[in-house]
Amino acid sequence: MAIILKEKTADDDILMPPVNFSMVEDGIYRSGLPQPSNFSFLKTLNLRCIIYLCPEPYPEENLKFLEANNIRLFQFGIEGKTEPTVSLLKDAIMDALKILVDVRNHPVLIHCKRGKHRTGCLVGCLRKLQNWCLASVFEEYQRFAGVKSRETDKKFIESFDVLSLRHCLYSIIYRYHGYGSKKRRLLYKEDNVQKPQMTSV
């Protein structure tokens, strides 16, 4: 009697993360633009939201994946090839941070095209909000940007005013407890408060 064994391909067991993928902290991830080959891996993260930092339309295949998995997309169009003005970059990063630090949006994936400059700026500003020293912020930025590190990005991160973000959060009655730990939670007072206007796709 002949026994036919089905050959198992290598792809059957491999979950492939997107380029430059890493965990920023519990519930926050970063990467480059996910490809269809990365979708199985993304499913394991149980994402609620994706923060997309490019101006180009989100790929149709990716939109279908988000719809099928009930993942919300927030897009902040920051130019990559040409350096955006500081004011435009600041506004986009500020708005993205409001989404990022709201734990109701976690787990969340941040990405641009390669997960280097725009993503690095957003994560760098988050680290400043978390009171990281600049040397550690720049070391993390450099690790992902590699030889394409940009001094303009570092200068932007260094000059980013996290106090303005804290004041904004306080003004809409956000309160954070134990941020960065498993016990963190968000309290949001609904009464007589105008909620921030978020641009979502």
Side-chain angles (χ1 to χ4, degrees):
M1 178 185 294
I3 300 177
I4 300 176
L5 298 178
K6 182 181 178 181
E7 184 178 352
K8 198 172 186 179
T9 64
D11 292 338
D12 290 338
D13 294 328
I14 293 178
L15 294 175
M16 185 181 301
V19 63
N20 252 344
F21 176 83
S22 182
M23 184 171 74
V24 177
E25 67 165 62
D26 185 33
I28 300 178
Y29 306 93
R30 62 178 291 169
S31 74
L33 177 65
Q35 302 300 314
S37 59
N38 307 134
F39 291 167
S40 294
F41 174 82
L42 293 184
K43 284 184 179 180
T44 68
L45 303 180
N46 298 313
L47 296 173
R48 288 184 181 177
C49 296
I50 283 180
I51 295 176
Y52 175 50
L53 301 174
C54 301
E56 296 81 12
Y58 212 53
E60 188 65 30
E61 286 182 294
N62 294 52
L63 286 173
K64 290 179 180 178
F65 170 78
L66 299 192
E67 183 178 1
N69 291 275
N70 196 30
I71 300 172
R72 192 173 182 185
L73 176 67
F74 292 92
Q75 181 170 3
F76 302 93
I78 301 173
E79 291 291 342
K81 292 182 179 180
T82 59
E83 294 181 4
T85 63
V86 173
S87 60
L88 290 177
L89 180 58
K90 179 182 176 181
D91 289 345
I93 292 295
M94 187 75 75
D95 288 342
L97 278 171
K98 293 174 189 176
I99 300 295
L100 183 59
V101 299
D102 188 338
V103 295
R104 294 171 298 182
N105 295 322
H106 296 182
V108 57
L109 173 68
I110 311 159
H111 78 80
C112 49
K113 187 174 182 180
R114 293 293 180 184
K116 295 181 179 181
H117 305 114
R118 288 165 283 194
T119 299
C121 284
L122 178 56
V123 173
C125 293
L126 171 67
R127 297 309 194 192
K128 287 192 68 177
L129 186 64
Q130 295 174 318
N131 295 318
W132 279 35
C133 69
L134 273 177
S136 296
V137 174
F138 290 160
E139 189 280 330
E140 182 179 42
Y141 170 88
Q142 185 70 47
R143 189 165 71 249
F144 289 92
V147 296
K148 294 189 176 182
S149 173
R150 294 176 180 170
E151 287 302 314
T152 51
D153 288 347
K154 293 181 180 180
K155 289 179 181 178
F156 172 80
I157 294 170
E158 183 175 6
S159 64
F160 186 79
D161 183 11
V162 295
L163 289 178
S164 62
L165 176 62
R166 289 194 179 107
H167 292 157
C168 178
L169 296 177
Y170 292 153
S171 70
I172 54 178
I173 322 298
Y174 275 102
R175 295 294 182 266
Y176 295 91
H177 301 271
Y179 185 75
S181 71
K182 292 183 179 179
K183 295 182 179 179
R184 70 176 184 264
R185 66 186 187 276
L186 170 69
L187 302 181
Y188 185 86
K189 186 182 293 184
E190 301 285 348
D191 299 335
N192 300 321
V193 175
Q194 183 177 358
K195 294 183 181 179
Q197 298 298 314
M198 304 301 184
T199 301
S200 62
V201 178

